[in-house]
Amino acid sequence: MGRDLTQKELLVELEPVVAENLDRHLGTAKEWHPHDYVPWDEGRNFAAMGGEDWDPEQSRLSEVAKVAMITNLLTEDNLPSYHRTISEHFSRDGAWGTWVDRWTAEENRHGIAMRDYLVVTRGVDPVALENDRMVHLTRGVHAPEYFHGMLDQVVYVTFQELATRISHRCTGRVCNDPVADALLKRIATDENLHMLFYRNLADAAFDLSPDQAMESVTKIILDFAMPGRGMPNWRRNGVLMVKHGIYDLRQHLDEVLMPVLRIWRVFEREDFTARGEQAREHLAEYLEKLGKDVQRFEEQRARLVEREARRAAAVG
């Protein structure tokens, strides 16, 4: 293609793909209800209603499970900001608008279900959780300055939805509770369906405007960060989650980036101009470096785990 497409042209050209994938999504997604995944019979009143306020001893969750649940929940809580950002980059009309609203409605269930579970089971401090929610949502989420339209957003959300699916599934496993595991597995299924929608849309964009798509992919991958960045205790909690394999560099490379890049045939395509080739080469260099970083990270983590095991044995 001799020129880049404008934002309006991209939206118009891709709307049939949006409509097709919206129909596919609606035919695939299964109805579910948050209240079916909450053990309500474990609930009891807090002090304001004559009961007992939260105490750390009441939680059955490990420290890493608490941190992962809180991080995942606060990420889901920021849905108003995500809706605003996506609406600004997509269209509010036609199939685009229908998808934005449907996606928002489905995502909203995740925060509802997770919060109800944590409050009813007294898994975490509800006061601290609410305080963190207020801080996080007040800060909001704003698209980075380098987001220049719908294509950047679609590429980002493809990777983000897949990463979130993995984080939810791994969190469910460390909770050591079949109820939490079933809930987070259900949420992860939603995230996977959302990823497929965005992945298919980006795939069509590659055929429509290869250079633009390749540049967006390279840009997003080189500066990727999960949408929860900036929430209270983000760095400390993130380190703990990485340490315990909730979401780490190996998963990011092997289970998120590479599978999607293979679907898009990024390293097989022959329809790039010099611009697209340059972006692809830049991405290849980054992925090679990331692979080396993953290896170093895993070696460091293994040494850390070994030191902690020796320390625990000495104390015991």
Side-chain angles (χ1 to χ4, degrees):
M1 184 165 291
R3 65 178 179 84
D4 286 351
L5 297 181
T6 66
Q7 177 75 4
K8 182 177 181 180
E9 288 171 333
L10 283 168
L11 290 170
V12 170
E13 291 292 333
L14 288 172
E15 179 154 15
V17 182
V18 175
E20 177 185 348
N21 279 274
L22 176 60
D23 288 342
R24 178 198 56 77
H25 178 83
L26 294 176
T28 304
K30 304 297 183 184
E31 185 178 78
W32 67 279
H33 305 97
H35 67 265
D36 287 329
Y37 291 84
V38 179
W40 298 102
D41 58 351
E42 294 185 22
R44 61 187 191 275
N45 291 344
F46 291 92
M49 297 288 290
E52 179 186 8
D53 274 339
W54 185 82
D55 183 273
E57 296 298 321
Q58 296 167 358
S59 177
R60 300 191 301 268
L61 299 177
S62 67
E63 185 62 24
V64 65
K66 291 177 187 176
V67 164
M69 286 290 281
I70 290 170
T71 300
N72 289 359
L73 172 54
L74 292 179
T75 299
E76 299 285 357
D77 274 336
N78 232 346
L79 181 61
S81 283
Y82 310 148
H83 176 86
R84 170 181 54 78
T85 300
I86 287 181
S87 294
E88 288 173 351
H89 288 91
F90 294 176
S91 170
R92 296 293 299 124
D93 300 321
W96 285 102
T98 302
W99 167 255
V100 170
D101 291 338
R102 173 71 188 200
W103 173 85
T104 301
E106 292 185 2
E107 288 284 348
N108 192 44
R109 292 186 296 209
H110 303 167
I112 293 171
M114 292 177 69
R115 174 167 286 97
D116 284 347
Y117 168 84
L118 288 174
V119 172
V120 166
T121 63
R122 300 192 174 224
V124 301
D125 182 351
V127 175
L129 179 64
E130 175 61 10
N131 289 341
D132 286 349
R133 187 191 70 85
M134 289 294 294
V135 170
H136 191 42
L137 269 72
T138 300
R139 290 174 180 170
V141 171
H142 301 276
E145 292 182 1
Y146 62 79
F147 269 46
H148 297 304
M150 175 274 298
L151 194 50
D152 285 355
Q153 185 68 42
V154 167
V155 170
Y156 173 78
V157 181
T158 300
F159 293 121
Q160 176 266 313
E161 292 278 12
L162 183 50
T164 303
R165 184 197 81 179
I166 292 169
S167 180
H168 281 311
R169 287 296 294 118
C170 292
T171 298
R173 296 185 187 108
V174 301
C175 284
N176 196 30
D177 176 5
V179 176
D181 191 45
L183 167 61
L184 292 173
K185 187 182 295 184
R186 177 60 259 185
I187 291 174
T189 299
D190 275 4
E191 306 291 14
N192 193 61
L193 291 176
H194 297 162
M195 179 277 294
L196 291 174
F197 178 94
Y198 293 115
R199 191 187 70 186
N200 292 347
L201 191 55
D203 194 30
F206 263 105
D207 293 334
L208 184 65
S209 186
D211 287 346
Q212 280 179 281
M214 189 65 246
E215 289 176 335
S216 283
V217 168
T218 298
K219 180 198 320 182
I220 297 304
I221 289 179
L222 263 60
D223 194 33
F224 182 84
M226 293 292 277
R229 179 171 57 179
M231 71 174 59
N233 301 310
W234 171 252
R235 182 174 297 277
R236 180 183 67 82
N237 292 349
V239 168
L240 187 62
M241 292 171 68
V242 165
K243 176 183 174 183
H244 290 273
I246 303 299
Y247 191 78
D248 60 26
L249 280 179
R250 173 64 68 187
Q251 291 161 312
H252 184 62
L253 177 61
D254 290 354
E255 299 180 40
V256 175
L257 297 184
M258 295 312 299
V260 173
L261 293 176
R262 283 193 289 268
I263 291 292
W264 290 338
R265 299 181 297 108
V266 162
F267 295 107
E268 302 168 17
R269 303 187 69 95
E270 299 179 352
D271 50 359
F272 296 130
T273 69
R275 277 177 50 208
E277 289 287 358
Q278 184 179 30
R280 177 163 61 181
E281 289 173 5
H282 194 186
L283 175 62
E285 292 171 358
Y286 173 81
L287 292 174
E288 182 178 2
K289 177 182 180 299
L290 183 59
K292 295 176 181 177
D293 290 343
V294 167
Q295 184 65 35
R296 284 193 295 269
F297 159 74
E298 291 182 330
E299 291 170 355
Q300 292 170 356
R301 181 169 62 181
R303 288 194 294 270
L304 175 62
V305 171
E306 184 179 352
R307 284 197 302 270
E308 291 180 347
R310 288 199 302 265
R311 192 178 302 120
V315 172

